[in-house]
Amino acid sequence: MQAAHATPTPSPARVTAVLRILVLSTFVVLLNETIMVNAIPRLMREFEVSAAAAGWLSTAFMLTMAVVIPVTGWFLQRVTTRTAFTLAMALFLAGTALAAAAPVFPVLLAARVIQASGTAVMMPLLMTTLMTLVPPHERGKVMGNITLVISVAPALGPAVSGVLLELGSWRLLFLAVLPIAGAMAVFGRLKLVDIGEPQAGPIDWVSVPLAAAGFGALVYGLSGLGAENAAEAAVPPAATTAIGAVLVGLFVWRQLVLQRSSTPLLDLRALTFRHFSVALGLMCVSFMALMGAFILLPLYLQEVCDLTSLQTGLLLIPGGLTMGLLGPQVGKLYDRFGAPRLVVPGAVITALCLALLALTAEQTSPWLVLVLHVALSAGMAFVFTPVFTSGLSVLPPHLYPHGSAILGSLQQVAAAAGTALVISVMSGRAAAAAAGGADATGALGAGIRWGFAVGAALGALAVLVALLVRTPPTPQPPAEAQAPDEDDTAPSKTAHTPG
């Protein structure tokens, strides 16, 4: 018996209310994933830390989500919706309050980890609830609205932080979010209803440290590759990366073994569905390219083009709004035309914009950067909504929590790896340019161009993967008024098969 079918389906009005609460709450918590980007120069001065150390305020957030999200596949099947929501918001609020009051850098970094732990629960909770409550023929439209959360919130983070930093201290980044998140927590706790019934079950405590150590070492190792001080590290970054890959492999092996005899921490049978696997691959490559670009753009605009934090924030807002406004429209187009006609053009536009950004120089007009950023955001909107919808739609209901956990976990690993890869290449090439006689601004500009070139290469790879995307067969809308003598043997609930 599946938990999703244990209780009656809520009314359409209640479904709308539940999804609205979860969408707004997830938007607030996800906004913080990239909100520290513009604050890095100021934090470097105030706490006297290096750029690499300050960068971990963003990388640690994504890494924590990648470590915690695998557990949510197990967790969401064993607690009520309201319990999961309460825990997520409590962790996020505690981390936000601690960050606002952080007296030293290590405390601020710990606060970001606590914040990310709450965010890690919210994302799979939203996706699982959506897939459980929304019928297949309406998921494209609804997922278009979810795109506002998954893609736009991180995209708007640098813009919001730029505006807040112009108004005052970096602590405003947390003080401004705290009352909004608190209000959402109280409102959600009062209005949210439980979806399904929890199932009792053990947790495999061997899998938990394997996931944490594996993903942690993998991303930490990637972040060190190409860095200026890589040769001085106690453990070479390449060795750390290899150790992380081995531990992740052991984690996967452990889950495959548990699938035969008991309940795995993360049910990898979702990967036997071809549509889901292809969508997962495209999402990973796209997020690597996207997060790398989002890290580089503020650095380029402030350090090379000499714009202020406020100007940078205002320049990046139109791109985030473009992605948000296009999300619902792309969702409707998905319901009408399917995935390939949207995903392939979107991937091509994304790759082209990243390639053009790799050609920018000190003399490049910020207005051209604005246009490229808007076009990049539009391309990503045409990729993410169809990918999330088509990927999860093929899974049976009992795999929704695990599919959402796999998707969310690898999304964060890809984002962290993309950020680490781009920053490493940028730092290495900037150092080489400086050694060749370039001034500080010219060297940084050269490094940033190389970073965008890496993003363009990832974008080209995304185009190739996008060509494999197909629209999965969608069951017809339920026909409660169907005549009794009609054929009732059509597999409306089991139309999707692996492969």
Side-chain angles (χ1 to χ4, degrees), residues 22-28 30-31 123 126 144-154:
L22 292 178
V23 166
L24 292 175
S25 299
T26 308
F27 182 89
V28 172
L30 267 185
L31 184 69
M123 279 187 58
L126 171 61
N145 294 313
I146 302 302
T147 301
L148 178 68
V149 171
I150 296 173
S151 303
V152 178

Side-chain angles (χ1 to χ4, degrees), residues 409-436:
S409 184
L410 290 187
Q411 172 188 325
Q412 298 310 311
V413 170
T419 300
L421 176 62
V422 166
I423 291 296
S424 296
V425 170
M426 180 199 73
S427 300
R429 298 310 303 179

Side-chain angles (χ1 to χ4, degrees), residues 53-302:
W56 271 97
L57 292 171
S58 295
T59 303
F61 192 99
M62 294 182 287
L63 176 57
T64 301
M65 292 182 67
V67 170
V68 174
I69 286 177
V71 184
T72 62
W74 171 89
F75 178 71
L76 292 179
Q77 289 185 318
R78 286 155 181 80
V79 300
T80 63
T81 307
R82 297 178 79 237
T83 298
F85 175 83
T86 302
L87 175 64
M89 294 306 292
L91 285 170
F92 181 78
L93 285 169
T96 304
L98 181 61
V104 292
F105 184 78
V107 174
L108 179 58
L109 188 59
R112 292 286 287 169
V113 170
I114 297 172
Q115 270 191 321
S117 300
T119 306
V121 178
M122 282 299 303
M123 279 187 58
L125 176 63
L126 171 61
M127 299 295 287
T128 300
T129 304
L130 181 151
M131 298 304 296
T132 301
L133 296 182
V134 179
H137 61 282
E138 296 180 2
R139 284 177 186 160
K141 178 176 63 177
V142 178
M143 190 65 80
N145 294 313
I146 302 302
T147 301
L148 178 68
V149 171
I150 296 173
S151 303
V152 178
L156 282 178
V160 172
S161 66
V163 174
L164 290 176
L165 288 171
E166 192 69 20
L167 297 176
S169 166
W170 59 266
R171 298 181 191 276
L172 279 178
L173 300 179
F174 304 103
L175 293 174
V177 170
L178 196 59
I180 300 173
M184 290 306 307
V186 173
F187 181 75
R189 182 66 187 174
L190 293 174
K191 299 296 183 180
L192 203 61
V193 296
D194 291 328
I195 307 301
E197 294 178 354
Q199 298 177 358
I203 185 171
D204 179 50
W205 291 108
V206 175
S207 298
V208 174
L210 275 178
F215 288 123
L218 184 61
V219 176
Y220 184 80
L222 286 171
S223 69
L225 293 176
E228 296 180 52
N229 58 349
E232 303 172 7
V235 180
T240 306
T241 303
I243 293 171
V246 170
L247 291 175
V248 170
L250 290 174
F251 171 77
V252 171
W253 172 79
R254 178 73 177 174
Q255 305 318 297
L256 295 176
V257 171
L258 291 174
Q259 284 172 187
R260 303 173 194 159
S261 57
S262 60
T263 304
L265 181 69
L266 194 61
D267 198 327
L268 300 179
R269 280 170 286 203
L271 297 175
T272 63
F273 292 77
R274 180 183 179 278
H275 294 297
F276 178 76
S277 297
V278 171
L280 190 66
L282 179 56
M283 181 275 298
C284 286
V285 177
S286 298
F287 255 89
M288 287 182 71
L290 180 66
M291 293 307 297
F294 284 164
I295 292 295
L296 292 175
L297 274 171
L299 284 173
Y300 171 75
L301 293 171
Q302 292 185 56

Side-chain angles (χ1 to χ4, degrees), residues 273-336:
F273 292 77
R274 180 183 179 278
H275 294 297
F276 178 76
S277 297
V278 171
L280 190 66
L282 179 56
M283 181 275 298
C284 286
V285 177
S286 298
F287 255 89
M288 287 182 71
L290 180 66
M291 293 307 297
F294 284 164
I295 292 295
L296 292 175
L297 274 171
L299 284 173
Y300 171 75
L301 293 171
Q302 292 185 56
E303 304 300 328
V304 178
C305 296
D306 201 27
L307 300 185
T308 65
S309 297
L310 177 60
Q311 290 170 328
T312 300
L314 293 176
L315 197 71
L316 295 177
I317 284 177
L321 293 179
T322 297
M323 193 179 293
L325 293 174
L326 280 178
Q329 305 307 317
V330 174
K332 294 176 183 177
L333 291 174
Y334 171 84
D335 288 334
R336 183 176 179 183

